Amino acid sequence: MSDPYYITTAIHYPNGRPHIGHAYETIAADVIARFQRLQGREVRFQTGTDEHGLKMAQKARDLEITPRALADEMSGAFRELFDRLDITYDRFIRTTDEDHHRASQAIWQAMEAKGDLYLDRYEGWYSIRDEAYYDESELIEGENGEKLSPQETPVEWTEEETWFFRLSNYQNQLLELLNTPGFLEPESRRNEMISFVSGGLRDLSVSRTSFDWGVKVPGSGNHVMYVWVDALTNYLTGLGYPDDTTDFSKFWPASLHLIGKDIVRFHSVYWPAFLMSADLPVPKKIFGHGFLLNRGQKESKTLGNVTDPSELVETFGVDNLRYFLMREIAFGQDGTYSPEAIVTRCNAELANSFGNLAQRTLSMISKNMDGKLETFELASDDRALLKTVQDACCTGLPEAFEKLSFSVGIEDWMKAVYACNQYVDEQAPWGLKKTDPERMKAVLQTLFIAIRDLAIAIQPVVPTKATAVLDQLGASPEKRSYADLADNGWFDILVAEGHTIGKPTPIFPRLEMPEVEAA
Ligand code: ME8
């Protein structure tokens, strides 16, 4: 095992049920975690729920329950969804967890010891929906002349005694960090943040006194921490901070904080400044992905287009949903989904192309070769096909995934699948049974080898189905990592063991187009 890899998602507000954006971000993080594990890295993957703050307190008040009860119920709904999505997190953190309070107080004390915290009075705008402070100059005007945040959420005037963090002290260090290649991606978000920081930074209000649902400020009885201070600290809590644990020294700084575009400022400006103040290393990379839209529109209760991601899993199956989201949308940009788009994409690529390839090949081996594998000589066409497949699986897909360009990597993989299907059509093994049975065997077994590489490479995206294909092939469970790609020794072992291929059951059945509801 080399090069430990620590990936986190944002922690989600459990003020309501999880939506498709939460599913999207967490699936993408899971794809990365699985991909890195298959590369042989020791991975730590954390997700969870962000349970403090005014937004949670107000929602609970509206529902006439305690914030804790709201958090318990909804946090459970997130966990349930992530189980259905096959998310392989190592820790699901809740910011109400006891160790998280301790970590948050510890980072606070480190910032205080640095002389970066002082008491003063905050007077300004606050958006409860964004849990964010805004300068007057950042506000925009709504349809009825009301003031709105840049995210078009309502803002309210706030005046209270608060602790301030000396963010202004970190302007130069932050600019240097933002200019470090690879720290913040994609490029457009980096430019936005450079311009925000270059414009001058005001000190940040980091505590609240008008409510008490939060982590207590040490030694300052009536103050609770500004929810983002405790929320961001979750990334340290999960590694045992403030204790000097093995996990902490192994996994910090984080390899990647994967977050959405609306919270890039908190992660690439406030968070590194807190860490610098506490003398802790800053994360290696922040990636701000785009937003997912439903038929091009933001989901909202008013539009009545809110879709429960669990229902999408129910209708299409988890691997189809994962495949669609990673394949359809250029990661980093906004993207749109609809049931028809999911069906079209999955039928064309998974059912008709990869699924059909595996099904046809294994059926023919089972039927025409009695399911028995044999040693054979590769002809030049066979070698050429295996090279195309191996280039996609060993280079194209992994290089793209390393850059988080999932759709590009999957497209490369898909091209290799198409090459296999073209090879089947050209070689027409069904016609060779009588004319040249040896050649038929060579063709089918070349495909057998290709399918195993294709299935190994695509595991991060469609883990259950790729595993089912590998099981059907008889591929050893210990030899399914990326290091095992393109090593054909496994085939000789199957031959030597007298492994037989049974009649395969289809792994990628076609999806039905959902019925369109009458308007
Ligand atoms: O922001 N498409 O929580 P959150 C894609 N608690 N991603 C989306 C999305 C959409 N339509 N809507 C939201 C918070 N997201 C804070 C984070 S981290 C220390 C604290 C993304 O529940 C969003 O960008 O509002 C964020 O990364 C994540 O979902 C959780 O959003």
Side-chain angles (χ1 to χ4, degrees), residues 63-326:
L63 295 170
E64 298 181 357
I65 55 176
T66 61
R68 179 74 212 204
L70 175 63
D72 284 349
E73 183 185 342
M74 291 303 164
S75 186
F78 275 89
R79 218 187 250 259
E80 237 168 71
L81 173 67
F82 294 168
D83 286 348
R84 301 195 75 175
L85 294 173
D86 279 344
I87 306 300
T88 52
Y89 58 76
D90 295 292
R91 169 144 181 202
F92 185 100
I93 194 167
R94 299 184 56 182
T95 53
T96 45
D97 290 342
E98 198 268 324
D99 62 343
H100 178 67
H101 281 237
R102 196 163 83 89
S104 304
Q105 290 179 334
I107 195 170
W108 182 281
Q109 280 163 333
M111 298 193 290
E112 192 172 26
K114 196 57 152 316
D116 280 337
L117 298 177
Y118 61 93
L119 261 182
D120 205 340
R121 203 175 158 69
Y122 177 77
E123 289 187 8
W125 296 102
Y126 192 77
S127 158
I128 298 176
R129 241 183 294 140
D130 304 347
E131 295 282 19
Y133 299 96
Y134 291 108
D135 277 349
E136 177 89 34
S137 62
E138 292 180 274
L139 301 183
I140 56 173
E141 202 178 290
E143 274 175 15
N144 305 315
E146 75 280 23
K147 287 185 191 296
L148 294 178
S149 82
Q151 320 268 7
E152 299 181 38
T153 59
V155 289
E156 59 178 36
W157 185 255
T158 308
E159 294 187 13
E160 64 191 309
E161 182 199 62
T162 72
W163 284 95
F164 277 83
F165 171 73
R166 290 189 204 281
L167 185 63
S168 55
N169 276 359
Y170 291 90
Q171 182 169 359
N172 292 341
Q173 273 170 271
L174 287 170
L175 273 177
E176 199 178 310
L177 179 64
L178 290 167
N179 278 304
T180 309
F183 171 70
L184 173 58
E185 289 180 351
E187 190 68 17
S188 55
R189 317 242 193 269
R190 179 159 91 119
N191 295 336
E192 243 172 69
M193 284 306 114
I194 290 178
S195 111
F196 170 68
V197 175
S198 308
L201 291 172
R202 293 221 205 163
D203 289 350
L204 182 70
S205 164
V206 285
S207 74
R208 305 290 310 252
T209 41
S210 50
F211 63 95
D212 65 359
W213 178 239
V215 179
K216 297 253 172 301
V217 169
S220 207
N222 55 336
H223 287 251
V224 290
M225 290 179 200
Y226 169 39
V227 62
W228 273 100
V229 175
D230 105 65
L232 290 159
T233 305
N234 92 82
Y235 303 131
L236 301 177
T237 308
L239 301 179
Y241 178 82
D243 299 333
D244 192 10
T245 61
T246 326
D247 278 347
F248 193 82
S249 47
K250 190 188 276 179
F251 291 110
W252 194 260
S255 313
L256 174 64
H257 290 322
L258 186 68
I259 52 157
K261 63 179 184 178
D262 57 329
I263 55 171
V264 168
R265 183 191 294 188
F266 301 94
H267 282 80
S268 66
V269 178
Y270 301 164
W271 179 226
F274 297 161
L275 289 166
M276 288 168 185
S277 172
D279 288 325
L280 291 168
V282 298
K284 292 182 194 153
K285 187 189 280 300
I286 316 274
F287 190 96
H289 62 74
F291 265 31
L292 197 57
L293 304 168
N294 183 343
R295 295 183 198 282
Q297 284 181 313
K298 200 171 159 184
E299 293 195 346
S300 77
K301 289 207 181 91
T302 335
L303 288 173
N305 64 348
V306 180
T307 309
D308 182 342
S310 295
E311 279 174 24
L312 294 174
V313 175
E314 191 68 39
T315 312
F316 302 111
V318 57
D319 280 3
N320 283 318
L321 181 64
R322 291 171 65 109
Y323 183 83
F324 171 82
L325 292 173
M326 294 297 100

Side-chain angles (χ1 to χ4, degrees), residues 347-498:
N347 279 353
E349 301 190 351
L350 291 180
N352 297 354
S353 300
F354 185 55
N356 193 28
L357 171 71
Q359 181 66 17
R360 280 210 281 185
T361 306
L362 293 177
S363 299
M364 284 190 277
I365 293 179
S366 154
K367 205 162 128 218
N368 298 344
M369 296 173 63
D370 292 331
K372 293 203 185 73
L373 301 172
E374 292 175 15
T375 313
F376 70 106
E377 287 289 318
L378 290 166
S380 68
D381 284 355
D382 313 339
R383 262 184 239 288
L385 180 75
L386 291 182
K387 174 153 183 358
T388 303
V389 168
Q390 288 167 1
D391 284 350
C393 295
C394 302
T395 314
L397 182 144
E399 284 184 359
F401 274 35
E402 200 66 64
K403 289 189 261 181
L404 312 185
S405 300
F406 305 110
S407 56
V408 174
I410 300 174
E411 193 175 349
D412 245 47
W413 176 85
M414 201 61 230
K415 281 185 188 153
V417 173
Y418 289 144
C420 289
N421 279 325
Q422 197 185 341
Y423 168 93
V424 180
D425 292 342
E426 284 166 4
Q427 303 288 334
W430 45 86
L432 293 170
K433 191 172 181 191
K434 290 215 173 83
T435 54
D436 190 350
E438 285 313 302
R439 181 64 198 140
M440 176 199 73
K441 289 179 191 169
V443 168
L444 294 179
Q445 297 188 118
T446 299
L447 289 165
F448 184 86
I449 290 172
I451 292 165
R452 182 242 190 199
D453 279 353
L454 291 166
I456 287 182
I458 204 68
Q459 288 175 99
V461 187
V462 288
T464 308
K465 287 183 181 284
T467 301
V469 172
L470 290 166
D471 288 348
Q472 276 191 350
L473 297 174
S476 155
E478 284 80 49
K479 293 227 169 279
R480 295 182 181 183
S481 82
Y482 282 21
D484 301 309
L485 280 165
D487 167 9
N488 296 342
W490 65 278
F491 181 82
D492 301 330
I493 295 173
L494 287 186
V495 174
E497 285 173 349

